[in-house]
Amino acid sequence: TALAAARGGGGGEGVVVGVDLSGNPTKGDVRALLPALRRAREGGLGVTIHCAEVENHAEMDDVLSFAPDRLGHALFLGEEHSERILSSGIPVEICPTSNGITLELFSSAGGCRTTALRMHPTLSRWLQARHPLSVATDDGGLFKTTLSHEWEMVARAHGVTWERAVELSRGAIAHAFISGEERERVEALFEERLRRGCVGGGKGA
């Protein structure tokens, strides 16, 4: 179904641009779904895999061997897997509020979200290494958050400057599952809003 939509079946080319494997991280085996993900990639779809939401190094081996276009969360990583991600350049999607709740960081930090985000298991490493990274909400409705709030938490916890946030946002657009023409349109819109002061709120973190 996804491949048919990606090819224009049902009346529009590019209706589906990618697939994302997610779900209960304690159930199932990612290897059972890799053939389907491989077919999706061969059909021109981008592939994201949610991974390492719980500790499972064998599964992480399988995920990195598959080499998806993006990684969701990637929290419980051994040193070898961290180095493989850094060397591969695969972008990582980080969801601060979601991670703070599921990892119980907020409760461990007495409710202080700035302190909690400093305890995040991988975020500081990706930032320090200038690894491709996108900040996301995971599910804005479920977690009662917005992308602006997620960015504010990351900036406060890790001293991310305005310039660095803009750089990361441009990188997120570069790795989005959109066509070249659509990417150019989004990039132009982003840069226009930067010029008009409609993105963010100034030069500070």
Side-chain angles (χ1 to χ4, degrees), residues 14-200:
V15 173
V16 175
V17 297
V19 293
D20 185 352
L21 177 61
S22 63
N24 187 335
T26 67
K27 303 291 185 181
D29 188 333
V30 70
R31 291 173 297 181
L33 295 168
L34 290 181
L37 294 177
R38 191 169 290 108
R39 289 196 298 274
R41 180 161 62 188
E42 291 169 352
L45 296 178
V47 177
T48 297
I49 298 181
H50 280 52
C51 58
E53 293 181 79
V54 296
E55 188 171 321
N56 188 335
H57 297 310
E59 180 175 271
M60 202 62 209
D61 280 334
D62 294 326
V63 169
L64 292 179
S65 293
F66 176 81
D69 299 291
R70 296 198 307 234
L71 296 171
H73 301 299
L75 302 171
F76 290 91
L77 301 171
E79 182 63 23
E80 178 187 351
H81 292 139
S82 296
E83 288 297 330
R84 286 176 67 182
I85 291 171
L86 289 170
S87 63
S88 71
I90 300 175
V92 177
E93 303 167 359
I94 291 290
C95 305
T97 295
S98 172
N99 296 161
I101 292 172
T102 60
L103 299 178
E104 300 183 346
L105 301 180
F106 296 152
S107 58
S108 297
C112 177
R113 299 203 164 197
T114 298
T115 300
L117 261 291
R118 289 174 181 154
M119 298 162 58
H120 192 283
T122 59
L123 180 54
S124 62
R125 182 165 193 171
W126 306 141
L127 288 170
Q128 290 168 10
R130 307 190 80 81
H131 187 77
L133 176 74
S134 62
V135 176
T137 64
D138 204 5
D139 187 320
L142 177 64
F143 294 109
K144 298 180 181 179
T145 188
T146 65
L147 187 56
S148 294
H149 181 58
E150 300 298 283
W151 266 114
E152 181 182 6
M153 286 195 297
V154 171
R156 288 181 182 278
H158 293 279
V160 175
T161 63
W162 167 255
E163 291 82 3
R164 179 69 172 128
V166 168
E167 177 188 343
L168 285 166
S169 297
R170 285 173 175 148
I173 295 172
H175 293 105
F177 295 162
I178 50 180
S179 67
E181 182 177 339
E182 179 67 5
R183 194 183 321 279
E184 290 177 3
R185 188 190 70 80
V186 173
E187 288 173 340
L189 179 61
F190 181 75
E191 298 300 329
E192 178 187 355
R193 291 189 174 183
L194 278 178
R195 289 192 295 271
R196 293 168 55 191
C198 299
V199 176

